[in-house]
Structure formats: structure tokens, C-alpha cells
Amino acid sequence: MIFRTSPVGPLAGLVRRTNVAFEIDGFDEETKSGWSVLIRGFAEAVPHNYLLTSAWESGPVPWAEGIRNVFIEIKPHKISGRAVQGTHGD
């Protein structure tokens, strides 16, 4: 997983190899179901090689405004997740 961040923001410190956890969740209100994925691994700056060139050309586009020219890669060593199905009773 690769994302872009500001060189002066709170995530800029991740350019040095750092243990991290990243979680993303989703929820469907209509079906009362959801999911969650947790990635544990380490993050560090994308090295100046083909991967960085590729990330500039077709990689992530940040939603936040401002300069976001630091590419961080999370390399997972453990991925876990779960799905939750709600009940349909009232």
C-alpha cells in the first residue's frame, strides 16, 4: 500500500522505517452489515527507483490540499479482517 503525505505533516516521520498499523472499515446501514481490515507492518519512504516513478505517474492522488510529495509505503507482515452481518429483526 502506498500513500502520499506532506513533507511537514505528522506522517512525514514515516520516511524512516517505522512499525505501523492501518485499519479501514466499511458499514452498510441498510443491511446492518460491515467489514474491517487491519494491516500490521512497517512504513517507510518509497525509494527513488521504478516504484517511485510509477507512483508519480499512476499512484495515489491525495484528497487533501497542499503539497503532498512524500510517498510512504506500508509493507504488511500481518493482515486480518472480519465481516459482521446484522440481524434483520426489529
Side-chain angles (χ1 to χ4, degrees), residues 17-81:
R17 187 176 169 123
T18 307
N19 284 320
V20 296
F22 176 84
E23 183 174 8
I24 187 166
D25 305 302
F27 181 74
D28 184 328
E29 195 124 352
E30 187 175 309
T31 62
K32 296 187 178 6
S33 62
W35 52 267
S36 177
V37 175
L38 177 63
I39 298 172
R40 293 181 183 176
F42 64 88
E44 64 185 339
V46 173
H48 296 281
N49 61 20
Y50 171 77
L51 182 59
L52 183 58
T53 301
S54 177
W56 272 113
E57 292 173 359
S58 62
V61 176
W63 293 353
E65 294 181 357
I67 297 171
R68 307 265 181 243
N69 60 358
V70 176
F71 286 83
I72 303 292
E73 180 180 16
I74 296 177
K75 296 179 180 176
H77 60 73
K78 183 176 183 183
I79 300 173
S80 60

Side-chain angles (χ1 to χ4, degrees), residues 11 41 43 66 84:
L11 297 177
V84 179

Side-chain angles (χ1 to χ4, degrees), residues 1-22:
M1 180 185 125
I2 296 174
F3 66 93
R4 289 170 60 175
T5 191
S6 166
V8 295
L11 297 177
L14 295 176
V15 297
R16 291 174 300 284
R17 187 176 169 123
T18 307
N19 284 320
V20 296
F22 176 84

